[in-house]
Amino acid sequence: MARTGTATSGNDACNAVAPPAGSLTGKVALIRRGTCTFYEKSRNAQLAGAIGVVIYNNVPGIQSITVAGTPAVTIPVVSVSAAQGVEINNRLAVGPVTMTWTDQFDSFPNVTGNLISGFSSYGLSPDLSLKPDIGAPGGLIRSTFPLELGGYATISGTSMSSPHVAGATALLLEARPDTSPQDARTILQNSADPKLWWGSPGLGFLDNVHRQGAGMLDIDDAILSTATVTPGKLSLGESAGGPTVQTLTVANNGPSDVTYDLAHVPALATGPNTFTPSFFNAPASVSFSSPTLTVPAGGSASVDVTISPNAGLADKSLYGGWVAFTPQGGGASYRVPFAGFKGDYQSIAVLTPTVNNFPWLARLTGTTFTNKPAGETYSMADAQNIPYILWHSDHQSRLLRMEVFDAVSAKAWHRVVQLDYFGRNSGAATFFSLGWDGQTTAGNKVYTVPDGSYVIQLTVVKALGDAANPADVETWTSPVITIDRP
């Protein structure tokens, strides 16, 4: 066995530091997770002669990996925890290590169990709706799998958490057959259990509402609940207009009057950089029109909740928490999650330049784009001879449009593309690219733009923006594109 890096390597076995050909011949490679894909690491080990790969995590816990790619990795690849990988690394540091591959099974504790999985996405949605709604077990779940692939497998993701929610909902509907879909979601949210922050659970902070929603689904409490609080979640939107006042209504389906104590349960905030979230203990300010609420048996009662973000939290941050209803004298508590955006949502720039200073007018040569800031001439003969527009979307947009204009007369030559909704880039330095073949559209008509000089105007309307408001619209105009067909 051989290691390709150390227990602190950041890009172990990635292309930039790939092990030399022949350096791993006949050996199993120990590789630390980080920077590049598992496929890239495993493929590089195989090219160096390795007969197998052990990839270990760079954060606590174990991981579910894939090495799918082309050309295929044809040697065995397994995944182990950070602690197991460090132990193997330390043994290799003092002498040879022999690894024996068997077909035996064993069980290992998952140190990140009962916490939000590291690969879980963050909300809010682009329209600032509170998402996700609820959490469920989805990390490293051993479950059924196609028989031709072994019958059982340990996998992760929404393919595991969604069936948990579906099964729980089926149990709820069996107990309460006439429950509507909206009411079912509310009941599940009211009874969910907020979970601790994955970053350091010992500190006692609750994880972000915009990452766990109402919390972990608790089907026992949902089925046994005797009250519902509506709405089941509060999407607060942006705070630029000041505090928001929300009305919550409790319906008591039990046989006795119940008086509830009201409380705010805070969650951690994140921001302001959405690509690399920072976490803040910055509880929102929450007040109630009454500290208690008495709900008659078979009846309902309402309370107003006033919420504003923490004054010390940076603008463009996301914040959240729960409004808790705890019955006096004991019994199950009910919770409603809330989340919002601090500041002016339209202040987020979409076409933010990256280190590469996008947008670009570019030419594609092989697989490489070259910036053409002074303009460029294209023959339009093939994919290597058409203009490409490269841009970075730092945020989602309500509309994205590219239009062609004559560079001399400014005559409009219609649209290259228009998308009513467009997502952001996955990373702070990544980009989108779109090649233009010389055709445009207007309605159902297609136009072939004649030879000449043109510019492409890229326009985006911000996520909740008004296309008629210039402050909500960003534009970029390309350098001159000269079309000169042979």
Side-chain angles (χ1 to χ4, degrees):
M1 193 170 186
R3 55 180 185 167
T4 56
T6 70
T8 59
S9 296
N11 61 344
D12 197 4
C14 294
N15 288 339
V17 290
S23 63
L24 298 175
T25 299
K27 298 179 180 179
V28 174
L30 177 69
I31 302 175
R32 187 171 186 256
R33 177 186 181 184
T35 306
C36 63
T37 65
F38 299 123
Y39 169 78
E40 184 176 314
K41 293 173 181 289
S42 303
R43 174 70 177 165
N44 285 335
Q46 179 176 311
L47 291 175
I51 59 173
V53 173
V54 176
I55 295 179
Y56 64 105
N57 211 344
N58 56 1
V59 294
I62 52 181
Q63 58 195 337
S64 180
I65 71 171
T66 177
V67 294
T70 303
V73 173
T74 58
I75 58 176
V77 180
V78 299
S79 169
V80 300
S81 71
Q84 291 165 333
V86 169
E87 180 179 349
I88 298 172
N89 174 82
N90 292 343
R91 291 187 182 185
L92 281 167
V94 297
V97 171
T98 299
M99 176 162 287
T100 302
W101 300 79
T102 77
D103 59 359
Q104 301 301 303
F105 289 89
D106 204 348
S107 297
F108 302 93
N110 180 8
V111 298
T112 60
N114 213 31
L115 300 173
I116 310 301
S117 295
F119 54 82
S120 289
S121 299
Y122 289 81
L124 302 168
S125 70
D127 65 357
L128 295 183
S129 295
L130 200 172
K131 287 292 181 180
D133 288 325
I134 199 166
L140 300 170
I141 305 296
R142 182 161 175 80
S143 184
T144 53
F145 212 58
L147 288 174
E148 59 270 24
L149 297 177
Y152 293 91
T154 300
I155 53 179
S156 301
T158 50
S159 56
M160 293 288 98
S161 58
S162 294
H164 275 95
V165 176
T169 303
L171 293 173
L172 178 62
L173 295 179
E174 182 180 16
R176 305 183 188 184
D178 297 327
T179 304
S180 70
Q182 184 68 38
D183 289 344
R185 183 179 72 173
T186 296
I187 292 168
L188 293 175
Q189 288 183 305
N190 286 169
S191 304
D193 301 319
K195 292 300 178 180
L196 294 171
W197 178 42
W198 64 272
S200 183
L203 295 177
F205 300 126
L206 292 178
D207 215 323
N208 321 112
V209 172
H210 50 281
R211 197 160 186 243
Q212 66 170 316
M216 178 66 78
L217 183 149
D218 188 332
I219 189 57
D220 293 354
D221 282 357
I223 290 175
L224 297 173
S225 64
T226 57
T228 56
V229 187
T230 54
K233 63 177 181 178
L234 299 176
S235 300
L236 305 182
E238 60 185 354
S239 69
T244 178
V245 180
Q246 304 281 333
T247 300
L248 294 173
T249 300
V250 181
N252 180 5
N253 305 312
S256 305
D257 297 356
V258 180
T259 298
Y260 293 94
D261 292 324
L262 276 63
H264 166 221
V265 180
L268 291 181
T270 64
N273 187 323
T274 57
F275 291 103
T276 54
S278 299
F279 301 89
F280 302 97
N281 178 26
S285 174
V286 180
S287 61
F288 306 100
S289 56
S290 174
T292 62
L293 185 68
T294 299
V295 189
S300 63
S302 299
V303 63
D304 288 339
V305 184
T306 302
I307 306 173
S308 58
N310 189 290
L313 184 65
D315 277 355
K316 302 181 184 179
S317 296
L318 299 175
Y319 66 97
W322 292 263
V323 176
F325 294 77
T326 302
Q328 295 180 355
S333 295
Y334 301 96
R335 285 172 289 269
V336 174
F338 66 84
F341 175 90
K342 184 177 181 184
D344 176 8
Y345 192 47
Q346 306 313 317
S347 68
I348 299 177
V350 177
L351 299 177
T352 303
T354 66
V355 292
N356 293 306
N357 201 31
F358 295 122
W360 285 6
L361 167 67
R363 176 181 285 277
L364 178 64
T365 303
T367 59
T368 302
F369 289 108
T370 304
N371 188 16
K372 298 296 179 180
E376 179 74 334
T377 299
Y378 301 90
S379 69
M380 313 303 281
D382 53 44
Q384 304 286 308
N385 288 284
I386 64 173
Y388 285 83
I389 301 299
L390 276 55
W391 76 99
H392 170 79
S393 285
D394 215 51
H395 198 256
Q396 299 92 337
S397 48
R398 174 63 182 81
L399 178 144
L400 180 143
R401 180 172 59 235
M402 289 188 189
E403 300 169 284
V404 177
F405 296 89
D406 188 288
V408 178
S409 68
K411 174 186 175 181
W413 273 96
H414 315 299
R415 294 174 182 172
V416 177
V417 68
Q418 177 165 312
L419 300 170
D420 284 337
Y421 296 94
F422 196 80
R424 71 168 193 174
N425 280 102
S426 60
T430 57
F431 63 91
F432 295 110
S433 64
L434 181 69
W436 178 45
D437 63 1
Q439 293 188 325
T440 58
T441 60
N444 294 323
K445 293 195 65 175
V446 177
Y447 298 86
T448 297
V449 177
D451 287 6
S453 297
Y454 303 92
V455 294
I456 291 179
Q457 185 178 82
L458 170 61
T459 300
V460 294
V461 178
K462 297 183 179 183
L464 287 177
D466 178 0
N469 182 357
D472 294 348
V473 179
E474 298 178 35
T475 60
W476 172 83
T477 301
S478 74
V480 173
I481 298 165
T482 300
I483 298 177
D484 185 12
R485 297 178 177 89

